[in-house]
Amino acid sequence: MSETTQLPEEMTAVVVHGPEDYRLTTKPVPTPEQGDLLIKVEAVGVCASDLKCYHGAAKFWGDENRDRWVTPPVTPGHEIVGTIVRGDDEALAKHGVALDDRVAVEQIVPCWECRYCLNGSYWMCGPHDMFGFRHHDGGMAEYMIIPPQALVHRVSKDLPPQHAAFAEPLSCALHAVERANITFDDVVVVAGAGPIGLGAIAGVRQKNPMKVIALDMLDSKLELAKACGADLTINIANEDANQIIRDLTDGYGADVYIEATGHPSAVSQGINLLRKQGTFVEYSVFKDDVTVDWSIISDDKELDVLGAHLGPHCWPAAIKLLESGELPMEQICTDQFGLDKFQEALDLVADSGGASVKVSLLP
């Protein structure tokens, strides 16, 4: 077993015991088995899905319509960056890394045996094990195991750790953009200027469509949207987005709408904003079920409605964009906490009306 430094015997970690029952715990530093990597976690972003899991959403805890996704006790956190401190030659060679490399970790741990993994769609893996939810402890800890099935990507040590961990939401946002099949003459609307929305705006800008429009309810986040590449911003709290966009498009509506808010009202908003035969891309985890008028999708407009999940094949592009320095990361990564302040971090993510954008823990 290769190693770089002497490790402590114990570490601090957040452990899930149930909804609204997350506890700071001292536990042994995990020992990597053959083929495993052990990383010292530098940063883990706090996702809106972490918050919804904390509050007991059926998406994670199950109900009569859903299987349970979370299995306590588990350490949460799936937006992970860390430094490799242990790993045998097999593990290092498999991942193409070396001891002391900094890596961003993909959030899914594919089985590589199911129908989806075998046809190349590893991000839709049947068992769908994710760091921080079921069988694999996540990044809200000082150290964590990266099993052989997982995927890692080297990232520059010149980036602050919270910026490097943003590779996860940014790769997700870029996948949503890829799903949209954007062309040069498109008018593209992105709903939400949170972490995913800002990443989508940056990704859409890379595609160079005719116009990029950002929607949000906070002027501060809309200013950040401009810094990420939006041509036009609309505050839907006091402006009529539907009318503005129709005026800009000779009455037709937007070509593409990317939903990145996780709020049910943004779904119907998008369906109404789109032109006939427009494209709707959904990238959100909803706390509650969403209902829309499906006749608009079919009979009225013949829309293309596409889902997007995780960030497959987009990690290298996301890391390249972060390393380029083109994004206003100091303004995006607004708040950092130690592990002992994990509750404050979750509460801050819940404050949707506040000035925070991306909240991170720095173990």
Side-chain angles (χ1 to χ4, degrees):
M1 182 69 66
S2 302
E3 59 184 64
T4 56
T5 58
Q6 183 68 35
L7 300 181
E9 294 183 359
E10 294 187 326
M11 68 175 186
T12 302
V14 178
V15 177
V16 175
H17 290 269
E20 299 190 1
D21 186 7
Y22 287 25
R23 307 175 196 172
L24 194 66
T25 304
T26 299
K27 57 190 295 188
V29 171
T31 301
E33 298 180 356
Q34 182 176 353
D36 289 343
L37 297 174
L38 178 70
I39 67 168
K40 180 173 175 54
V41 180
E42 295 182 57
V44 55
V46 183
C47 179
S49 63
D50 290 319
L51 179 69
K52 290 169 183 176
C53 181
Y54 173 78
H55 285 299
K59 162 76 177 178
F60 304 98
W61 295 96
D63 59 17
E64 65 276 9
N65 299 314
R66 292 180 181 270
D67 294 331
R68 186 171 181 155
W69 198 11
V70 181
T71 305
V74 66
T75 291
H78 59 273
E79 300 181 6
I80 304 155
V81 69
T83 299
I84 299 170
V85 294
R86 292 285 188 278
D88 58 26
D89 291 341
E90 175 188 337
L92 297 172
K94 180 182 186 299
H95 293 290
V97 295
L99 291 175
D100 204 41
D101 277 354
R102 173 192 263 182
V103 292
V105 184
E106 292 206 26
Q107 61 287 85
I108 192 166
V109 183
C111 71
W112 303 113
E113 297 177 353
C114 71
R115 172 180 180 176
Y116 302 103
C117 287
L118 291 176
N119 74 15
S121 299
Y122 73 89
W123 65 101
M124 299 305 298
C125 173
H128 219 75
D129 285 338
M130 302 266 288
F131 283 112
F133 290 106
R134 190 157 41 195
H135 299 126
H136 299 282
D137 285 332
M140 293 189 188
E142 292 180 273
Y143 296 88
M144 66 176 285
I145 292 288
I146 310 299
Q149 313 95 290
L151 297 159
V152 302
H153 303 270
R154 282 183 291 183
V155 59
S156 171
K157 291 186 177 184
D158 293 335
L159 293 175
Q162 63 271 22
H163 298 184
F166 196 73
E168 194 276 349
L170 183 55
S171 69
C172 291
L174 295 186
H175 178 50
V177 172
E178 288 282 72
R179 291 282 282 161
N181 296 311
I182 293 164
T183 61
F184 291 132
D185 59 351
D186 281 339
V187 172
V188 182
V189 177
V190 178
I196 296 294
L198 292 170
I201 291 163
V204 172
R205 182 74 279 155
Q206 299 288 311
K207 297 288 186 179
N208 200 31
M210 187 63 65
K211 193 171 289 291
V212 184
I213 302 172
L215 310 181
D216 204 278
M217 299 179 70
L218 290 177
D219 288 335
S220 60
K221 291 184 178 178
L222 289 171
E223 284 300 311
L224 198 46
K226 289 181 182 177
C228 288
D231 299 304
L232 174 68
T233 61
I234 301 173
N235 187 325
I236 61 170
N238 50 44
E239 296 179 274
D240 186 342
N242 191 54
Q243 188 61 53
I244 292 170
I245 290 168
R246 292 198 179 280
D247 288 345
L248 286 169
T249 57
D250 297 323
Y252 288 104
D255 301 288
V256 176
Y257 180 92
I258 299 175
E259 198 290 300
T261 72
H263 195 282
S265 65
V267 178
S268 56
Q269 171 182 259
I271 290 170
N272 288 310
L273 282 177
L274 283 168
R275 64 164 172 84
K276 292 179 181 181
Q277 297 185 313
T279 298
F280 185 110
V281 179
E282 179 56 60
Y283 201 112
S284 286
V285 175
F286 291 93
K287 180 178 180 293
D288 302 306
D289 292 341
V290 180
T291 302
V292 297
D293 183 352
W294 278 81
S295 63
I296 299 175
I297 295 169
S298 57
D299 189 50
D300 290 359
K301 293 189 175 182
E302 197 177 81
L303 298 177
D304 288 335
V305 179
L306 302 171
H309 179 58
L310 306 187
H313 310 302
C314 293
W315 287 75
I319 291 168
K320 179 181 178 181
L321 189 54
L322 289 171
E323 291 176 347
S324 74
E326 294 177 20
L327 298 182
M329 293 308 301
E330 290 291 344
Q331 296 168 265
I332 292 173
C333 295
T334 49
D335 300 272
Q336 295 86 46
F337 296 88
L339 279 180
D340 60 328
K341 303 292 185 183
F342 76 90
Q343 187 65 59
E344 291 182 36
L346 286 166
D347 292 344
L348 192 58
V349 174
D351 182 15
S352 60
S356 66
V357 180
K358 170 48 65 180
V359 177
S360 305
L361 298 175
L362 306 182

